[in-house]
Amino acid sequence: MKKTKNRWLIAASAVGIHISIGSVYAWSNFTNPLIEQFGWTSKEVQLTFSLAILFLGLSAAFLGHFVEKHGPKKAGLLAAGFFGAGMLGAGLAVNMGSLPFLYITYGVLGGIGLGVGYIAPVSTLVKWFPDRRGFATGLAIMGFGFAAAVASPVMDGLIKSVGTANTFFILGAAYLIIMTLSSLYLERPPADWAPEGMKEKAAAGKIKIKQDLAQLTANEAVKTSRFYYLWIMLFINVTCGIAILSAAKPLAQESIGLTTAEAATLVGVLGIFNGLGRLAWASISDYIGRPNTYTIFFVSQIALFLLLPITKEAILFQIMLAIVYTMYGGGFSSIPAFIGDVFGTKQLGAIHGYILTAWAAAGLAGPMFAAWMKDSTGSYASSLTSFAGLFVIALIVSILIRFDIKKLRKQNEASERMAG
């Protein structure tokens, strides 16, 4: 009989993949060296990052079915191949001095690796941790959030000592090895698998196992209203959060008068809150439920985004920003568990991939809107008030999904009574 793998090592493998691909958030380390070396504009270099995030969303959507069909190991190896090729190819692009080749390698190939690498381990973890779905997915996605903090000093040191091209080569090889080794351990749990003692405790009435509301395929899920409710909730949370991410430094300087160095330090500290929020909020959602977690996000952020523009007290302003960052991260990590709750685990990877198109859309919309408001009004404060309005819409949607869940639960109970 085949030995069942250790679910904590599966979780560690998921973190290995996410901490590799999450290094994309440290892209800004390459911005100035590339501008200085080739005379490219900031906008031209930044487009590389935007393409990577765009292809993350697209590949997550289009290759979600690949993850379900071929399993997490093959999907992880595919991600390792694409992301490794993207990084190594970027080194080649720098040696050639070719911006279009950098777009193709890091932006397109790397972006595809990002998308597949993001969903493959997460959909698997939900199946290995039926008792702690939020915690498990939060753990992996926290790795993605913290990756920039780990990768930034490494990238900075390598660029200074061996140059930009060699940095891409070294990191490309390292990430390829880490992702390949991590992927080789990934596996779905056996059918009807449960953690030790879970079934016995349920039979003795000590714990109540929550049943998923449905077991839908991805193509069935997209025909339901709750799919679009989740999409809108994620889109608004990410749009507003990513706009704050893109403008945090100038916002802190103009609002509370921080120096450039102080604002840069604040951005680094806020990144830690982004990572911690991914684990904390996803774990909390295991106890209070996913709908309550998202309602807390939206009610809190309506207040925070209205208060931030009028807050002049530096400490209070920074605490409020930190809370926003935790909720930005928490929105990402709680969504896979929410998908499992309302659609089941049958094709969770594919459904997660479809919903992540909200991230791709928000990645374009958030920073552009914040920049447009800054250009139109002369400050970022007005865009914050507009985002509070968006959170009101998100709050309404989070209430609507509750009615949908309640209705579905009643239908399930009626079906069980008829069957019984």
Side-chain angles (χ1 to χ4, degrees):
M1 190 179 160
K2 192 182 174 188
K3 190 175 180 289
T4 303
K5 289 190 173 180
N6 183 312
R7 66 176 181 159
W8 293 101
L9 289 178
I10 296 274
S13 300
V15 173
I17 291 173
H18 270 237
I19 212 155
S20 301
I21 59 175
S23 64
V24 68
Y25 273 149
W27 170 257
S28 57
N29 283 281
F30 293 109
T31 307
N32 286 336
L34 289 172
I35 290 168
E36 287 163 17
Q37 192 172 344
F38 299 107
W40 296 335
T41 66
S42 177
K43 204 173 180 180
E44 285 172 335
V45 174
Q46 191 58 27
L47 183 58
T48 317
F49 173 77
S50 300
L51 281 170
I53 298 299
L54 174 66
F55 276 88
L56 183 160
L58 292 173
S59 62
F62 287 109
L63 290 168
H65 286 283
F66 179 91
V67 176
E68 295 303 337
K69 187 179 177 183
H70 297 284
K73 186 184 291 181
K74 285 184 180 174
L77 291 171
L78 182 75
F82 270 104
F83 191 69
M87 288 288 288
L88 295 168
L92 199 57
V94 172
N95 276 342
M96 291 162 59
S98 171
L99 187 61
F101 194 54
L102 185 64
Y103 292 158
I104 292 164
T105 52
Y106 194 94
V108 179
L109 297 179
I112 292 168
L114 282 171
V116 187
Y118 191 90
I119 58 173
V122 170
S123 63
T124 307
L125 279 180
V126 170
K127 293 163 190 171
W128 277 102
F129 287 82
D131 50 337
R132 303 167 81 179
R133 270 181 183 170
F135 169 78
T137 57
L139 197 64
I141 292 172
M142 179 184 73
F144 193 93
F146 272 142
V150 176
S152 270
V154 175
M155 285 177 180
D156 191 49
L158 282 172
I159 289 166
K160 284 172 183 168
S161 57
V162 297
T164 310
N166 287 334
T167 300
F168 278 121
F169 289 137
I170 292 164
L171 290 178
Y175 291 142
L176 182 60
I177 293 164
I178 294 166
M179 290 176 75
T180 301
L181 292 175
S182 298
S183 300
L184 290 171
Y185 194 78
L186 286 182
E187 195 176 272
R188 291 189 185 113
D192 297 323
W193 178 88
E196 196 178 328
M198 187 173 170
K199 287 178 181 175
E200 291 79 1
K201 284 179 186 173
K206 290 179 182 175
I207 58 165
K208 190 174 185 286
I209 298 172
K210 283 183 186 174
Q211 295 299 317
D212 296 331
L213 289 170
Q215 285 295 336
L216 302 185
T217 65
N219 292 340
E220 287 167 342
V222 295
K223 292 172 187 167
T224 65
S225 54
R226 59 190 183 279
F227 174 88
Y228 297 96
Y229 291 151
L230 287 181
W231 196 97
I232 292 164
M233 283 156 60
L234 185 65
F235 174 75
I236 291 174
N237 199 59
V238 177
T239 296
C240 304
I242 220 163
I244 286 280
L245 277 171
S246 68
K249 197 173 171 183
L251 179 69
Q253 287 174 270
E254 71 176 40
S255 297
I256 51 170
L258 293 190
T259 64
T260 307
E262 287 168 344
T265 304
L266 174 64
V267 170
V269 172
L270 290 174
I272 295 167
F273 281 95
N274 176 4
L276 290 173
R278 289 165 191 246
L279 182 61
W281 283 112
S283 301
I284 290 165
S285 78
D286 283 334
Y287 297 96
I288 65 170
R290 258 58 79 172
N292 289 338
T293 305
Y294 276 86
T295 300
I296 290 169
F297 287 167
F298 303 141
V299 170
S300 305
Q301 287 182 101
I302 289 166
L304 290 166
F305 276 73
L306 287 172
L307 289 170
L308 274 168
I310 56 169
T311 302
K312 297 299 171 198
E313 175 55 50
I315 297 296
L316 186 60
F317 184 90
Q318 290 170 77
I319 289 168
M320 286 157 69
L321 266 188
I323 295 167
V324 168
Y325 265 61
T326 69
M327 292 178 175
Y328 168 74
F332 278 119
S333 58
S334 304
I335 210 85
F338 209 155
I339 293 166
D341 295 347
V342 298
F343 297 117
T345 56
K346 193 175 182 178
Q347 286 198 349
L348 194 145
I351 300 167
H352 190 203
Y354 284 160
I355 282 179
L356 283 182
T357 55
W359 183 6
L364 295 171
M368 282 170 68
F369 182 77
W372 176 73
M373 290 298 283
K374 163 75 174 172
D375 292 342
S376 306
T377 64
S379 84
Y380 285 104
S382 49
S383 66
L384 299 185
T385 313
S386 305
F387 289 140
L390 276 178
F391 279 121
V392 172
I393 297 168
L395 178 61
I396 293 165
V397 173
S398 78
I399 293 163
L400 290 173
I401 199 169
R402 287 169 181 269
F403 289 118
D404 208 53
I405 290 168
K406 206 173 181 181
K407 185 181 164 187
L408 198 58
R409 200 166 274 139
K410 280 182 179 174
Q411 286 173 1
N412 288 350
E413 285 167 4
S415 299
E416 280 173 23
R417 280 196 299 271
M418 284 171 73

